[in-house]
Amino acid sequence: MGDDEGGRQRMIVIDVALSDAFTRDDLSLLNARVKSTITHELTHGGQGEDILAISGNAQKEAFRLGMKTSEGIRSYYLDPAEVEAFARGMYKQAKMTKTPFHEMVSTEIDRNLAYYTHPKELERVEFSEQEVRSFFEDDYRQALLDYARKNLPAAVLENQDFISSLREMIKEEMEEWKPTGEEMMFPAI
């Protein structure tokens, strides 16, 4: 890919390590994960200089802290550029695997937790298992779902059918409701 402004070349390199247990049956999931990663990185390529400048500072801080502190992890994963890129990558993978978006978010959170709560990882970091678990299960999940609600309307979110049917029911009730003038009458106290 060429860069029109600076004439520089940018490259995305994805390393894939396959275990001995990898079989042809695993190809669909591998394909979805690779496309998720490509979508994540291409999202960064399309982000404006303003968001990337903010992102660059947040990531410098995260990596300065070595991803060994809860602040470093928060700086990286809650950075708006990363939230967008991760959400769009997960959305791509969810579409390819026909998995609801909220389930894909849970899968990715479980994958992150498997890494960050591994006993060897916990030996080298400055956060507790509960801190990192709370961050991913609460704050990070919410950031991804909030982004999807606002920017990925086709994403299938948990309770989406319930919320849609509730909205429809309220709309029907409002259409049928005829004011009588007594609605604003309050009993004397």
Side-chain angles (χ1 to χ4, degrees), residues 4-73:
D4 293 340
E5 294 174 22
R8 63 189 172 127
Q9 294 290 321
R10 295 186 288 175
M11 192 179 334
I12 297 172
V13 177
I14 300 171
D15 292 324
V16 177
L18 303 177
S19 74
D20 291 338
F22 185 84
T23 67
R24 199 179 304 184
D25 296 336
D26 300 320
L27 281 174
S28 291
L29 180 58
L30 175 63
N31 187 28
R33 299 262 341 237
V34 168
K35 286 188 177 183
S36 171
T37 301
I38 291 169
T39 300
H40 175 105
E41 296 305 331
L42 290 177
T43 297
H44 286 314
Q47 290 170 332
E49 292 297 321
D50 54 338
I51 195 169
L52 292 176
I54 295 167
S55 175
N57 291 334
Q59 289 192 19
K60 283 179 192 171
E61 178 65 8
F63 290 110
R64 184 187 66 76
L65 296 168
M67 299 293 280
K68 295 189 304 185
T69 65
S70 58
E71 294 83 16
I73 288 175

Side-chain angles (χ1 to χ4, degrees), residues 94-106:
K95 281 178 43 178
M96 289 190 66
T97 59
K98 296 180 172 68
T99 304
F101 180 79
H102 71 274
E103 289 180 21
M104 189 57 59
V105 169
S106 293

Side-chain angles (χ1 to χ4, degrees), residues 62-112:
F63 290 110
R64 184 187 66 76
L65 296 168
M67 299 293 280
K68 295 189 304 185
T69 65
S70 58
E71 294 83 16
I73 288 175
R74 291 181 74 78
S75 291
Y76 176 73
Y77 284 99
L78 293 182
D79 171 51
E82 289 302 327
V83 169
E84 178 185 13
F86 278 117
R88 289 190 177 277
M90 287 179 210
Y91 178 65
K92 180 68 168 178
Q93 187 173 347
K95 281 178 43 178
M96 289 190 66
T97 59
K98 296 180 172 68
T99 304
F101 180 79
H102 71 274
E103 289 180 21
M104 189 57 59
V105 169
S106 293
T107 299
E108 290 300 315
I109 286 172
D110 290 345
R111 190 172 290 121
N112 283 331

